[in-house]
Amino acid sequence: MVPRLFLVLVVFHLGITAYGKQTMKATLKSLHAISDIRYRYATTLVSLKYYNTYNFAVTADLHVNMPRHSFISNFSMEIDGNVTVGEVKQKSEAKRIYDHAIKTGQSAGYVAVEHRFTNVFDISVNVEPQKYIVYNLTYQELLTRENNKYRHVIHLSNGGIIDDFLIEVFIKEPQDIINVSVPEIKDDKARDFLETNGLEYVSVDYVNSKEVYIKYNPNRKQQEEISKENGIVGLFKVAYDVNRANNSNFIYAVDGYFVHFFTADFLKPLRKHIIFILDVSGSMSGTKILQLKEAMENILDQLDPELDKFIIGKFSSDVVWMENNFLPARKEYIKRAKTYIRNISASGGTNIDAALLESIVKHKSTDERVLSTKIKNIIIFLTDGHPTVGVSSTEMIKKNVREANEEISLFTLGFGEDYDHKFLREIAAENGGFTRKIYVDSDSSLQIENLYKEISNILLKDITFVYLDGAVNTSTSTFSNYFKGSELVVSGILRDKTQLTMHLNVNKTDNTGRSADTLKVGINLSGIGDDFTLFDDLPENPELTSIQSLSKITEKTYAYLTLKQLLKEERTHHVKSEILDLALKYNFVTPLTAMVVTKSKIKEKRFDENDNDSSGVRRSKYINTLAIAFET
């Protein structure tokens, strides 16, 4: 069994109390977010400056949401001209350094990873009277392509109107950049990038066909137009694509590392056999079951009568099927399915193990030959809770499904706040799918429909890239599915840094059946080492330019993809060693590493326990302390 890793949350005594509760905080004076996107690889630096306007110490609280697939690569803070930088260490060493710092009277923070939650970075530091503190957090990710767009997101939560608010995004791609959009800022629960309304006061400048500079610098009045009380809260989103000129394969290389981008949007969709297995336990009663019914009726209307067959199952303590066999998506069967959906009700427990295993058996029992043909077998599984009936161990459920499944792709939807996100994410990833969260207080039915749209256009399955000459130590080169409008990415190391072409086999199943294509693809070496050239009147970004040197992009992409794959595998001694080597070399915070931040105590005035400020608020003693938590 893989050992569970827990979030280490360091909580110190906070400086100001009023009847046992802290009431005052440092004021946010500026927020700068700079993103440097080079060849789909994005580095984002979030910099926030706070000022303590009081005559006693208060805390400056930083809360940053990051993309789920990102890694923290750097953190620093500056207080009164003194800069403290975090270091990534093996967890045991980081904990030892942290414990020693605490024992010797230093301030210290410990940034670790906990699997269950989303990626949130929190820090709270005491700031002396009339002093500034600046936080700098850097994280990195490889952008993915969905629905014909690369998506880059910066989460904003200002907590009020601020004087100095700046977002800059620099994009450089090897192909011409097209279809750039910056939609209006909305609630961070919304995932859809299809908004038609653009963001006001944002500028999008094409430096040339392959470089774009985006700037958003709203003044106070412009911020108040979004929210007078809370300022700008939500997602700043940039979407774009590149012109492939009918070229499905693009490979570039620098310093012996290569990256291969593959698309195949010209193909026709595969036929699909789809199982919808729906949680109708007691916790789904009320609004959830109504939204589920609405979503399912709309999804049924989207099924293709020429490509799709389907069956609906519902589960609570037991599993019940609408029909024994798959039904063609013809009008009469769609009508029958809608009647079935309208009549479902919520009651009972949650037997997840039985629901998944019976779904796999349904696929197998229809026709064993289906598993090796051009038909794609899919399970769409929706639940809002934890297993309460039958097998209750999520590790055992994952094991049972792995052993029973062959090539069926499992897509999981978590409804609400109470389900086990870690479990749904892992079991989907282990079975060729992915997971999505459905927010109950948003338009849940639309979210479920969008998830179906995302997975309905499967063009390829069982794809494997075999590099025939000169490529070693590649990242993942086998993929369960290729969705229309997406992209597959493989990175690796070349034996010959100067080679100009690459031979590879692409083994895949498309709508005509299984095939193997042997390709000769040119390797793009030109212009990779050039800096991001901006107009004379556009700002330079020395911080990100040094981080994002193009000569390191391919190497970082290789490390990123390899690390993401290793983190999905069973934690054998060898796998752990590889994770540690990559994480420490590239300064990534992972489940096996942590970032430790230490700061020696500075001389400062200490208040007596009984001191009161002019407002009568009782203040306790304080020291310059900090608390950090990171979740992913």
Side-chain angles (χ1 to χ4, degrees):
M1 178 182 293
V2 178
R4 295 188 64 188
L5 297 169
F6 295 92
L7 168 69
V8 180
L9 173 59
V10 185
V11 181
F12 294 86
H13 184 64
L14 297 175
I16 306 303
T17 58
Y19 306 106
K21 296 182 179 180
Q22 185 170 344
T23 58
M24 301 176 186
K25 303 282 186 181
T27 302
L28 177 63
K29 304 298 288 185
S30 75
L31 184 156
H32 288 188
I34 303 172
S35 289
D36 200 355
I37 303 170
R38 308 291 180 97
Y39 294 45
R40 284 79 144 172
Y41 193 85
T43 294
T44 300
L45 169 63
V46 180
S47 180
L48 296 101
K49 186 175 185 178
Y50 293 82
Y51 181 67
N52 179 5
T53 60
Y54 302 101
N55 62 353
F56 45 81
V58 296
T59 59
D61 298 336
L62 172 65
H63 178 89
V64 178
N65 287 299
M66 294 170 296
R68 183 169 60 86
H69 295 293
S70 64
F71 289 116
I72 289 179
S73 59
N74 193 29
F75 172 75
S76 68
M77 62 181 183
E78 179 180 347
I79 303 176
D80 200 22
N82 298 310
V83 179
T84 304
V85 179
E87 294 182 281
V88 174
K89 303 284 187 182
Q90 187 172 346
K91 270 196 170 179
S92 58
E93 183 180 358
K95 190 65 169 63
R96 181 186 60 79
I97 294 172
Y98 167 77
D99 290 340
H100 176 74
I102 295 301
K103 283 183 181 179
T104 56
Q106 301 177 65
S107 301
Y110 181 69
V111 183
V113 168
E114 201 277 358
H115 280 293
R116 180 176 175 185
F117 302 95
T118 54
N119 38 350
V120 178
F121 184 93
D122 287 302
I123 177 171
S124 180
V125 176
N126 269 15
V127 183
E128 292 182 85
Q130 285 81 54
K131 295 288 186 182
Y132 286 96
I133 183 171
V134 179
Y135 295 126
N136 294 295
L137 176 68
T138 303
Y139 56 86
Q140 298 180 316
E141 64 168 334
L142 182 68
L143 302 186
T144 57
R145 185 173 182 254
E146 296 176 1
N147 298 320
N148 301 299
K149 292 281 189 178
Y150 298 102
R151 279 122 166 125
H152 179 59
V153 175
I154 299 174
H155 296 254
L156 299 173
S157 181
N158 300 350
I161 308 300
I162 55 179
D163 293 322
D164 184 9
F165 183 7
L166 174 65
I167 297 177
E168 294 177 295
V169 179
F170 299 81
I171 307 173
K172 181 182 178 75
E173 289 291 345
Q175 299 134 305
D176 289 350
I177 299 171
I178 59 174
N179 302 330
V180 178
S181 64
V182 184
E184 60 185 350
I185 295 173
K186 290 187 176 181
D187 189 325
D188 65 2
K189 292 178 181 179
R191 293 192 68 257
D192 196 287
F193 274 77
L194 301 178
E195 297 96 336
T196 56
N197 296 329
L199 178 63
E200 288 190 284
Y201 313 117
V202 67
S203 63
V204 178
D205 296 321
Y206 281 81
V207 181
N208 55 54
S209 64
K210 296 178 173 61
E211 301 179 28
V212 173
Y213 170 65
I214 298 168
K215 181 179 180 180
Y216 183 54
N217 187 204
N219 58 35
R220 293 183 66 90
K221 182 179 178 181
Q222 292 164 350
Q223 294 174 55
E224 289 173 353
E225 291 177 9
I226 295 177
S227 173
K228 290 186 177 181
E229 295 182 359
N230 299 320
I232 297 177
V233 177
L235 299 180
F236 179 88
K237 299 178 285 189
V238 174
Y240 72 95
D241 202 8
V242 298
N243 186 355
R244 291 166 179 79
N246 298 318
N247 186 0
S248 296
N249 295 275
F250 184 88
I251 300 177
Y252 76 93
V254 183
D255 293 338
Y257 291 87
F258 77 89
V259 181
H260 176 199
F261 299 109
F262 172 85
T263 56
D265 292 341
F266 57 89
L267 296 173
K268 294 180 179 179
L270 290 168
R271 293 168 58 199
K272 299 183 296 298
H273 284 188
I274 308 166
I275 288 179
F276 299 97
I277 183 72
L278 311 175
D279 185 345
V280 293
S281 60
S283 58
M284 283 289 294
S285 61
T287 301
K288 291 180 184 178
I289 200 73
L290 294 175
Q291 290 173 327
L292 174 60
K293 291 179 180 182
E294 179 184 356
M296 280 304 304
E297 288 200 47
N298 291 334
I299 287 174
L300 288 169
D301 287 332
Q302 296 176 34
L303 297 181
D304 189 324
E306 296 185 3
L307 295 177
D308 299 334
K309 290 186 177 182
F310 74 98
I311 189 170
I312 298 173
K314 60 181 182 179
F315 74 96
S316 52
S317 300
D318 300 303
V319 185
V320 178
W321 296 97
M322 171 188 162
E323 299 280 345
N324 289 326
N325 299 312
F326 282 85
L327 301 173
R330 295 200 297 264
K331 286 184 179 180
E332 62 267 32
Y333 297 117
I334 297 296
K335 182 178 180 181
R336 186 191 305 178
K338 287 184 177 181
T339 300
Y340 180 80
I341 289 293
R342 291 172 191 146
N343 290 329
I344 63 176
S345 59
S347 65
T350 308
N351 195 337
I352 291 177
D353 186 68
L356 291 174
L357 294 182
E358 287 195 29
S359 297
I360 293 171
V361 170
K362 276 289 180 188
H363 269 302
K364 290 183 175 182
S365 62
T366 54
D367 187 345
E368 284 289 345
R369 292 172 296 171
V370 165
L371 295 175
S372 60
T373 68
K374 54 191 177 184
I375 295 175
K376 181 62 188 178
N377 294 282
I378 296 172
I379 296 172
I380 297 178
F381 174 80
L382 184 144
T383 185
D384 74 333
H386 297 253
T388 60
V389 177
V391 179
S392 59
S393 166
T394 55
E395 289 299 320
M396 183 58 67
I397 295 173
K398 285 162 55 181
K399 179 176 180 293
N400 291 343
V401 172
R402 277 197 307 269
E403 292 176 351
N405 195 10
E406 294 181 35
E407 65 150 23
I408 303 165
S409 289
L410 171 63
F411 299 92
T412 60
L413 287 79
F415 210 141
E417 302 295 334
D418 298 328
Y419 71 95
D420 190 334
H421 184 271
K422 172 179 177 287
F423 165 63
L424 291 190
R425 184 175 74 237
E426 290 179 351
I427 198 169
E430 290 174 1
N431 292 276
F434 52 76
T435 190
R436 291 288 183 265
K437 180 174 182 176
I438 306 300
Y439 294 90
V440 177
D441 56 348
S442 296
D443 190 340
S444 302
S445 59
L446 181 60
Q447 294 176 58
I448 298 172
E449 291 171 47
N450 286 339
L451 179 278
Y452 178 74
K453 288 178 183 177
E454 190 174 350
I455 67 176
S456 61
N457 283 322
I458 298 178
L459 307 185
L460 296 172
K461 70 172 185 174
D462 305 328
I463 312 109
T464 300
F465 298 95
V466 180
Y467 297 90
L468 303 176
D469 53 3
V472 296
N473 296 334
T474 61
S475 61
T476 300
S477 57
T478 299
F479 302 87
S480 297
N481 308 296
Y482 174 80
F483 302 98
K484 185 174 183 178
S486 66
E487 183 175 66
L488 304 180
V489 185
V490 181
S491 184
I493 302 173
L494 298 173
R495 288 194 179 95
D496 180 4
K497 295 182 180 182
T498 63
Q499 72 182 78
L500 300 178
T501 59
M502 183 176 289
H503 295 83
L504 65 147
N505 283 342
V506 182
N507 304 307
K508 64 189 184 305
T509 298
D510 60 19
N511 66 311
T512 64
R514 191 70 181 165
S515 65
D517 298 332
T518 300
L519 306 175
K520 180 181 179 181
V521 182
I523 298 177
N524 189 318
L525 299 173
S526 62
I528 300 297
D530 296 339
D531 288 332
F532 191 99
T533 304
L534 299 173
F535 291 129
D536 291 339
D537 59 343
L538 296 182
E540 295 287 348
N541 286 291
E543 302 95 337
L544 293 188
T545 299
S546 60
I547 295 172
Q548 279 291 81
S549 165
L550 274 178
S551 64
K552 294 294 183 183
I553 292 301
T554 46
E555 183 177 350
K556 278 269 188 166
T557 301
Y558 167 73
Y560 175 93
L561 290 171
T562 303
L563 196 52
K564 296 300 290 188
Q565 177 59 33
L566 288 170
L567 290 171
K568 296 177 183 178
E569 297 179 7
E570 185 178 352
R571 299 288 165 76
T572 63
H573 177 76
H574 176 70
V575 169
K576 287 182 180 179
S577 177
E578 287 193 283
I579 292 172
L580 282 172
D581 287 346
L582 284 171
L584 295 175
K585 180 177 180 179
Y586 296 100
N587 214 47
F588 287 147
V589 177
T590 71
L592 299 185
T593 56
M595 181 176 288
V596 63
V597 186
T598 61
K599 181 180 182 298
S600 298
K601 264 195 232 178
I602 61 175
K603 292 183 179 180
E604 56 195 30
K605 178 181 177 182
R606 294 180 181 274
F607 295 97
D608 184 79
E609 287 264 355
N610 297 318
D611 280 353
N612 292 336
D613 63 22
S614 58
S615 64
V617 176
R618 186 170 179 267
R619 287 172 282 131
S620 64
K621 292 182 179 180
Y622 71 94
I623 58 174
N624 226 347
T625 56
L626 85 111
I628 298 179
F630 173 63
E631 303 172 305
T632 192

